[in-house]
């Protein structure tokens, strides 16, 4: 895969330089014409819920679809960090949870980014230690989430509020919530310093298989038909406007990856696990990867109909500002691709273009 390169972590000065370069390139041509994209910088997480990214890279599907456009990648632990890079112009697109996508759209007044496809539904849960068998048992406990304001963080805070618990974003309240790197969460849970965590796969399965946790709440039980978005594909609005052909090719690779996972159920665990090992230095146990994949569904449908509820949840959790998400979705390129293949199109739910 000659045209896929992994980007190193960007320093603050590097981000500033990228922003300045982006501004310069946007204003350099007074005629408004833009050179074709030669590079697409893609973010993702080394999570099972980001399997389309992992498979698309491992199987060369992005490379095949994007042709002469180089794909460089950057791996993140949680959505807010990926949003920082996207907002700084350090990446052009990222696989990410819905709540950070909502946050950046609202905070930028609708100028920052667009969701162009769904990627995964399901695969998130609250897992807890022995002795916690009922929501009432959580009073006075310490729970982890991947990062303040990320999708699982909002889900936990919303669910706790529904159970009558008070929390705050500084770790106070009836239940202490401590945003923690996923790998560190596993270690702290094994050491008895955490009572549980609301996490995406494969970390749910890792705490169960490697640390003896059990599921207190499967998030799928909280949504109609169990369908809630865990991962979407988000593109920087400026990149989408200037390089729709490159985004269309990215979507072609993305859809091919989703289809590959569906068509290759026996091979998918090994391929996904190999990609996770390449990023983390250690493969998942067979029982972990198998269990994780059983709880995630991969689809290009972003389930836009759930996003108004997600906005309400984020406001209730105190992790996002109020604001409109009308225009958050731009599914036109995806639906053109689906129509050309005779597949069913997906809806923006009145929140953008489809």
């Amino acid at each position: 895969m000659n045209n896929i390169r992994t980007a190193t972590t960007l320093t603050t000065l590097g981000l500033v330089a990228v922003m300045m370069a982006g501004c310069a390139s946007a204003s350099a041509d007074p005629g408004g014409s833009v050179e074709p994209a030669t590079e697409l910088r893609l973010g993702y997480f080394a999570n099972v819920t980001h399997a389309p990214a992992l498979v698309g890279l491992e199987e060369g599907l992005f490379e095949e679809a994007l042709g002469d456009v180089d794909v460089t990648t950057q791996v993140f632990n949680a959505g807010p960090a990926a949003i920082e890079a996207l907002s700084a112009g350090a990446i052009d697109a990222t696989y990410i949870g819905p709540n950070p996508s909502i946050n950046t759209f609202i905070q930028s007044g609708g100028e920052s980014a667009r969701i162009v496809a769904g990627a995964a539904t399901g695969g998130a849960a609250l897992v807890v230690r022995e002795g916690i068998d009922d929501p009432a048992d959580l009073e006075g406990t310490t729970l982890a989430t991947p990062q303040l304001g990320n999708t699982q963080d909002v889900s936990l805070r919303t669910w706790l509020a529904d159970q009558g618990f008070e929390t705050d974003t500084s770790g106070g309240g009836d239940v202490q919530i401590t945003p923690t790197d996923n790998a560190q969460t596993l270690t702290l849970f094994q050491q008895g310093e955490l009572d549980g965590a609301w996490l995406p796969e494969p970390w749910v399965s890792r705490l169960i298989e490697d640390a003896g946790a059990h599921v207190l709440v499967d998030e799928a039980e909280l949504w109609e038909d169990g369908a809630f978005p865990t991962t979407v594909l988000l593109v920087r609005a400026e990149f989408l406007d200037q390089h729709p052909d490159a985004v269309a090719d990215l979507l072609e690779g993305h859809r091919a990856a989703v289809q590959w996972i569906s068509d290759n159920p026996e091979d998918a665990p090994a391929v996904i696990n190999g990609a996770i090992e390449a990023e983390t230095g250690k493969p998942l146990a067979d029982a972990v990867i198998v269990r994780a994949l059983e709880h995630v569904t991969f689809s290009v449908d972003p389930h836009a109909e759930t996003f108004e509820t997600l906005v309400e949840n984020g406001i209730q959790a105190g992790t996002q500002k109020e604001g409109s998400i009308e225009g958050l979705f731009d599914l036109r390129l995806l639906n053109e691709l689906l129509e050309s293949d005779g597949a069913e199109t997906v809806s923006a739910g009145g929140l953008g273009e489809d």
Side-chain angles (χ1 to χ4, degrees):
M1 294 183 283
N2 294 331
N3 71 328
I4 296 181
R5 296 178 283 118
T6 301
T8 57
T9 302
L10 293 171
T11 64
T12 302
L13 288 175
L15 292 177
V16 173
V18 170
M19 294 175 68
M20 293 176 66
C23 293
S25 62
S27 60
D29 184 357
S33 62
V34 178
E35 293 292 326
T38 58
E39 178 185 32
L40 189 149
R41 300 163 297 172
L42 181 66
Y44 64 96
F45 311 166
N47 285 350
V48 170
T49 52
H50 288 228
L54 303 176
V55 167
L57 293 167
E58 284 290 304
E59 294 298 305
L61 302 174
F62 292 135
E63 179 182 16
E64 180 179 352
L66 283 155
D68 293 334
V69 178
D70 286 344
V71 179
T72 58
T73 62
Q74 189 170 351
V75 181
F76 299 91
N77 177 67
I83 289 298
E84 288 180 12
L86 194 79
S87 299
I91 57 174
D92 304 306
T94 188
Y95 287 83
I96 197 168
N99 287 94
S101 304
I102 291 168
N103 284 343
T104 185
F105 187 84
I106 290 176
Q107 290 173 0
S108 70
E111 297 297 321
S112 61
R114 300 288 182 271
I115 293 173
V116 297
T121 61
L126 172 60
V127 291
V128 294
R129 61 168 171 78
E130 185 178 351
I132 299 176
D133 301 303
D134 185 86
D137 297 330
L138 291 171
E139 186 167 2
T141 60
T142 301
L143 306 177
T145 61
Q147 192 170 356
L148 177 65
N150 97 308
T151 299
Q152 288 76 48
D153 185 72
V154 171
S155 295
L156 175 58
R157 293 175 190 277
T158 302
W159 180 80
L160 286 172
D162 289 343
Q163 305 307 309
F165 293 114
E166 291 187 3
T167 64
D168 61 46
T169 56
S170 60
D174 302 320
V175 179
Q176 181 179 347
I177 300 176
T178 305
T180 308
D181 176 271
N182 292 327
Q184 184 70 4
T185 291
L186 173 60
T187 299
L188 292 173
F189 185 84
Q190 290 171 322
Q191 294 172 346
E193 296 184 32
L194 287 173
D195 298 296
W198 197 300
L199 298 168
E201 291 290 5
W203 296 99
V204 170
S205 295
R206 285 211 65 182
L207 263 70
I208 291 171
E209 298 290 341
D210 298 344
H214 65 274
V215 174
L216 185 65
V217 182
D218 184 336
E219 190 168 348
E221 298 171 359
L222 307 180
W223 294 89
E224 185 177 353
D225 300 323
F228 66 98
T230 310
T231 309
V232 297
L233 182 54
L234 185 72
V235 175
R236 190 161 49 87
E238 183 181 31
F239 189 86
L240 176 61
D241 290 342
Q242 294 181 349
H243 304 293
D245 291 345
V247 176
D249 291 342
L250 173 65
L251 285 167
E252 182 178 347
H254 169 63
R255 182 164 183 255
V258 170
Q259 191 63 47
W260 189 96
I261 295 170
S262 176
D263 292 343
N264 296 275
E266 294 183 359
D267 296 332
V271 171
I272 295 167
N273 207 8
I276 290 173
E277 180 181 9
E279 295 298 342
T280 65
K282 185 178 180 180
L284 301 173
D286 289 345
V288 171
I289 189 69
V290 170
R291 186 195 180 283
L293 286 170
E294 287 175 349
H295 289 79
V296 184
T297 299
F298 300 102
S299 169
V300 297
D301 186 348
H303 290 280
E305 73 279 0
T306 67
F307 274 69
E308 292 285 11
T309 299
L310 292 170
V311 171
E312 295 172 6
N313 291 348
I315 293 170
Q316 178 183 343
T319 58
Q320 74 174 51
K321 298 178 180 178
E322 295 189 33
S324 172
I325 57 169
E326 185 176 349
L328 173 60
F329 294 88
D330 190 339
L331 306 177
R332 291 174 293 177
L333 293 174
L334 174 63
N335 281 331
E336 287 176 10
L337 177 62
L338 294 172
E339 286 178 348
S340 69
D341 291 342
E344 186 176 352
T345 58
V346 297
S347 172
L351 298 174
E353 307 264 14
D354 56 15

